[in-house]
Amino acid sequence: MRPAPTILHLDMDAFYASAEQAAKPSLRGKAVVVGGLGPRGVVATASYEARILGVHSAMPTAQARRLAPNAAYLVPRFQLYRSVSEQVMELLGRLSPLVEPLSLDEAFVDLEAGGAADDSASARRTGERLRTAIRAVTGLSGSVGLAGSKMLAKIASEQAKPDGLVLIEPGTERELLAPMPVRTLPGVGPATGDHLRRAGMTTVHDLAEAGEDELVRLVGKAHGHGLYRMALGLDDRPVVAERNAKSVSVEDTFDVDLHDRVRVRAEVERLAVRCVERLRAAHRSGRTVVLKVRRYDFSTLTRSETLRGPTDDPTVVREAAARLLEAVDTTGGVRLLGVGVTGLADFTQEDLFAQAADARELAEREQEPERQAPESGTEGPAAEEEPESAEQLAARRWPAGHDVHHAAHGHGWVQGSGVGRVTVRFEEPGGPVGRVLTFRIDDPELTPADPLPLVRDPVDYSSWPASLPKSRSGPGSAAGEESRP
């Protein structure tokens, strides 16, 4: 019996960039690039208008600026993206108890487990209604793929982009996959793809024709067996509601190589504290502390230390990371630092001495306000570091694209900053294009602000999905829905 197309894959369209366009009326329909804006910044997401110009994710921002010099370049606002993601994931959770998030903007859903679909027709209706609900609640569009397996559902959602729905009918899988490049299949990266190409296999059809024994000979038993099954359209991986993280980590890339050993240690300790904050937010603890150092010549070193037991104590992690740093040669400069914790657990073995030391340190910091980070809330340099330039301070305090509030002009967002000035466009989601004003970076009436909701009065979906119509309507209803062989 062939599986029904009841695995749904949702992928929000150009998520970060689309959220910024929805939040900023002046950017709608224009090229938007979200990512790191420094000399070593990397593109996180580009709007479809920017993609037409050749910009794509993981591209160096400097290269993107050459391709799209007139695009809006913005620093990510993860507070906004997480908020929208929570709205989307709540909708998915109403469809089924089996929702497997892959990232903030992507997830698998087992519709059959929630009684939301048991055949092609009901699966299509559910997919249409989901897209309607997402647009009504968030103002954004998402592409939906429906198939009998996770692999095919993801392929379908890629074909549906942007703002569409594609359903792969059971029985058409091999015909659909045959002409696709081998890189389409999960687990086939650049190295494997090149190896297969040298063996004369460039399409999925080539893999199926080669047979399992030949693929095992080329790429090994485990990979070859899985590759052959996928080439035949077979994928029995279940949708897993709980995706337990194996590690928690944070890292920073620096615009200019760090040479001062004191500064490097200060950055490692700062990253350790941020790592523990994420660890605690996930209600986890960890046993192994990992330090990552990328040096001036792009060589990357990792060092690790396993503790007596799991911990979520910032002092313990900070001191372990500092010890690991002592064994690393940073002569010549450091371009990236990272601190992580692995061996995660749901409990901690309390270290009373570390807790006491942490309490003493907090008390000392309260008595020494000059050691605190800048009042904007971003991490600042340690007390012994060289002072930042006015332009660096402006970029740190007023990141491009972030929200601000002015006592006289209301809510706006930073268009840019430098030379002691910050330029703000005052507009809100759903409103008209706003006017632009410039202020001193230390203007007392201008303060950082939280993002506004993208939809001020969203549709009440408390009774969703039962209350939604069975045919889709509203914005974007003309987008492509189709079945694919």
Side-chain angles (χ1 to χ4, degrees), residues 283-429:
H283 305 291
R284 308 299 296 279
S285 61
R287 185 168 184 170
T288 300
V289 178
V290 180
L291 174 70
K292 176 180 177 181
V293 180
R294 181 166 297 150
R295 299 186 291 190
Y296 70 99
D297 59 356
F298 287 90
S299 61
T300 303
L301 303 175
T302 57
R303 299 289 184 270
S304 63
E305 176 181 322
T306 299
L307 308 172
R308 296 191 308 272
T311 185
D312 65 351
D313 189 288
T315 300
V316 174
V317 176
R318 186 171 63 242
E319 291 179 352
R323 286 194 297 271
L324 293 170
L325 178 64
E326 294 302 317
V328 177
D329 180 11
T330 59
T331 304
V334 172
R335 59 187 292 121
L336 177 146
L337 290 168
V339 175
V341 176
T342 65
L344 301 189
D346 293 325
F347 63 92
T348 63
Q349 292 184 357
E350 303 292 353
D351 187 327
L352 300 180
F353 294 103
Q355 287 188 345
D358 216 29
R360 285 197 301 272
E361 183 177 352
L362 289 174
E364 290 172 1
R365 288 187 177 184
E366 290 176 357
Q367 295 172 5
E368 300 180 43
E370 67 274 11
R371 293 173 57 189
Q372 299 296 312
E375 59 181 287
S376 66
T378 56
E379 291 88 351
E384 63 272 14
E385 295 172 22
E386 296 181 3
E388 293 179 305
S389 67
E391 188 166 352
Q392 289 174 322
L393 181 61
R396 185 182 288 272
R397 181 174 171 81
W398 306 112
H402 280 227
D403 300 85
V404 296
H405 184 272
H406 192 276
H409 303 290
H411 188 90
W413 59 277
V414 176
Q415 279 202 325
S417 61
V419 199
R421 296 287 186 272
V422 54
T423 300
V424 178
R425 184 180 288 274
F426 291 96
E427 59 186 5
E428 299 183 4

Side-chain angles (χ1 to χ4, degrees), residues 129-468:
R129 295 161 72 189
L130 173 64
R131 294 183 58 232
T132 299
I134 288 174
R135 187 179 289 276
V137 171
T138 70
L140 304 179
S141 67
S143 294
V144 168
L146 292 156
S149 69
K150 291 167 70 172
M151 178 186 75
L152 292 165
K154 186 171 175 63
I155 290 173
S157 69
E158 284 295 319
Q159 293 185 330
K161 283 186 167 294
D163 194 17
L165 182 151
V166 166
L167 183 148
I168 297 177
E169 291 285 357
T172 67
E173 296 90 351
R174 289 194 63 177
E175 181 183 356
L176 170 78
L177 289 170
M180 293 185 175
V182 295
R183 290 286 305 277
T184 302
L185 301 181
V188 181
T192 302
D194 189 55
H195 187 51
L196 294 170
R197 180 186 59 78
R198 290 197 299 271
M201 303 177 197
T202 59
T203 67
V204 176
H205 171 76
D206 295 334
L207 300 181
E209 288 295 306
E212 183 175 0
D213 291 343
E214 177 65 9
L215 293 178
V216 167
R217 187 186 68 81
L218 286 171
V219 299
K221 184 175 182 180
H223 199 184
H225 174 70
L227 204 56
Y228 180 66
R229 284 181 54 82
M230 288 188 292
L232 299 180
L234 302 175
D235 176 21
D236 55 6
R237 293 174 300 160
V239 175
V240 181
E242 296 290 337
R243 289 176 56 89
N244 291 325
K246 297 181 180 179
S247 65
V248 173
S249 63
V250 295
E251 61 182 44
D252 274 348
T253 300
F254 305 100
D255 293 342
V256 179
D257 290 347
L258 303 185
H259 293 85
D260 182 354
R261 185 75 177 184
V262 175
R263 168 75 186 277
V264 172
R265 180 182 173 109
E267 291 291 345
V268 166
E269 293 182 345
R270 179 178 64 83
L271 289 168
V273 172
R274 284 176 53 195
C275 180
V276 170
E277 288 173 352
R278 290 191 179 185
L279 195 66
R280 288 181 167 179
H283 305 291
R284 308 299 296 279
S285 61
R287 185 168 184 170
T288 300
V289 178
V290 180
L291 174 70
K292 176 180 177 181
V293 180
R294 181 166 297 150
R295 299 186 291 190
Y296 70 99
D297 59 356
F298 287 90
S299 61
T300 303
L301 303 175
T302 57
R303 299 289 184 270
S304 63
E305 176 181 322
T306 299
L307 308 172
R308 296 191 308 272
T311 185
D312 65 351
D313 189 288
T315 300
V316 174
V317 176
R318 186 171 63 242
E319 291 179 352
R323 286 194 297 271
L324 293 170
L325 178 64
E326 294 302 317
V328 177
D329 180 11
T330 59
T331 304
V334 172
R335 59 187 292 121
L336 177 146
L337 290 168
V339 175
V341 176
T342 65
L344 301 189
D346 293 325
F347 63 92
T348 63
Q349 292 184 357
E350 303 292 353
D351 187 327
L352 300 180
F353 294 103
Q355 287 188 345
D358 216 29
R360 285 197 301 272
E361 183 177 352
L362 289 174
E364 290 172 1
R365 288 187 177 184
E366 290 176 357
Q367 295 172 5
E368 300 180 43
E370 67 274 11
R371 293 173 57 189
Q372 299 296 312
E375 59 181 287
S376 66
T378 56
E379 291 88 351
E384 63 272 14
E385 295 172 22
E386 296 181 3
E388 293 179 305
S389 67
E391 188 166 352
Q392 289 174 322
L393 181 61
R396 185 182 288 272
R397 181 174 171 81
W398 306 112
H402 280 227
D403 300 85
V404 296
H405 184 272
H406 192 276
H409 303 290
H411 188 90
W413 59 277
V414 176
Q415 279 202 325
S417 61
V419 199
R421 296 287 186 272
V422 54
T423 300
V424 178
R425 184 180 288 274
F426 291 96
E427 59 186 5
E428 299 183 4
V433 173
R435 60 176 178 166
V436 177
L437 298 173
T438 299
F439 308 89
R440 299 193 321 272
I441 62 170
D442 59 351
D443 190 317
E445 294 192 313
L446 188 67
T447 56
D450 291 332
L452 297 177
L454 299 183
V455 177
R456 284 302 185 90
D457 298 307
V459 175
D460 180 10
Y461 58 93
S462 58
S463 59
W464 193 81
S467 63
L468 287 178

